[in-house]
Amino acid sequence: SQQGEEDPQALSIQEGENATMNCSYKTSINNLQWYRQNSGRGLVHLILIRSNEREKHSGRLRVTLDTSKKSSSLLITASRAADTASYFCANHQETSGSRLTFGEGTQLTVNP
Amino acid sequence: NAGVTQTPKFQVLKTGQSMTLQCAQDMNHEYMSWYRQDPGMGLRLIHYSVGAGITDQGEVPNGYNVSRSTTEDFPLRLLSAAPSQTSVYFCASSYAGGLLNEQFFGPGTRLTVL
């Protein structure tokens, strides 16, 4: 069963606005990763945050991790139409060995 | 570097047919994996390998076989295709340390089983 859950399932915003997506998980993790998938394409890695980190930045992306709440959020600032895609979180659980568990994704639409 | 390549891009099979989905990477990655993605769902792990000669089952391994005779290649075999295996299949790889690092994904193979 899926251990990662994204919220919301779909998000529609205007260009220039910020987009926030949330992800929850159920067990202790080693790290949590965010990926982007454009329609009909493979997944592209965005950012990885380790369990001992609380916040990471990469360009217009900001990821936070709250291990006490077992949740993470991805913030995209000053969104662009090109940010339209599905965004997935994936967690590496401490007890899962070499498995990465993906959530069901958030479909982000940025309207020009 | 070509990264992770997958062939074919599209495939249509009849129920009961067998086929092999190819995956290759030229980054000398030790860890490779196969996922399937179904509409409205995230990716589910089918099989994975932490190095040449070593494979293990993921979340949904039934109906699929894998082998890892070289570091570069990780083919996925469908033994007897079923309509439930209609999906998009992604291969991924990463550096030594497996899931401690980012995964590099191939472009996917879209499979339809009639």
Side-chain angles (χ1 to χ4, degrees), chain B residues 1-6 23-27 29 72 93 104-107:
Chain B
N1 287 350
V4 180
T5 58
Q6 292 183 237
C23 174
Q25 51 88 13
D26 60 359
M27 298 173 283
H29 286 173
E72 295 78 18
S93 71
F104 292 81
F105 281 84

Side-chain angles (χ1 to χ4, degrees), chain A residues 34-107:
Chain A
W34 285 90
Y35 289 82
R36 183 185 73 200
Q37 183 181 34
N38 290 87
S39 181
R41 309 292 288 273
L43 278 72
V44 175
H45 181 265
L46 295 176
I47 200 163
L48 181 153
I49 187 165
R50 293 184 167 79
S51 59
N52 62 351
E53 298 175 313
R54 292 296 168 259
E55 186 172 313
K56 287 190 79 170
H57 296 255
S58 178
R60 293 184 295 112
L61 306 180
R62 172 177 171 255
V63 169
T64 61
L65 179 64
D66 187 335
T67 53
S68 66
K69 294 181 179 179
K70 293 186 171 56
S71 67
S72 173
S73 67
L74 170 67
L75 168 67
I76 304 174
T77 60
S79 63
R80 306 166 182 169
D83 294 329
T84 294
S86 292
Y87 292 81
F88 294 89
C89 68
N91 65 79
H92 179 210
Q93 299 166 22
E94 288 183 350
T95 57
S96 70
S98 297
R99 301 185 182 191
L100 197 62
T101 301
F102 282 82
E104 297 181 3
T106 293
Q107 173 60 52

Side-chain angles (χ1 to χ4, degrees), chain B residues 11-69:
Chain B
Q11 183 70 50
V12 179
L13 293 177
K14 295 181 180 178
T15 297
Q17 287 185 315
S18 62
M19 79 158 296
T20 299
L21 279 63
Q22 301 292 344
C23 174
Q25 51 88 13
D26 60 359
M27 298 173 283
N28 202 31
H29 286 173
E30 292 187 1
Y31 182 90
M32 296 185 74
S33 56
W34 276 102
Y35 293 89
R36 61 177 289 173
Q37 184 178 36
D38 299 295
M41 298 182 69
L43 277 70
R44 291 183 292 170
L45 182 65
I46 304 172
H47 286 285
Y48 64 96
S49 169
V50 299
I54 305 169
T55 63
D56 206 345
Q57 295 182 349
E59 181 184 359
V60 288
N62 291 341
Y64 307 95
N65 275 356
V66 292
S67 60
R68 186 92 181 272
S69 56

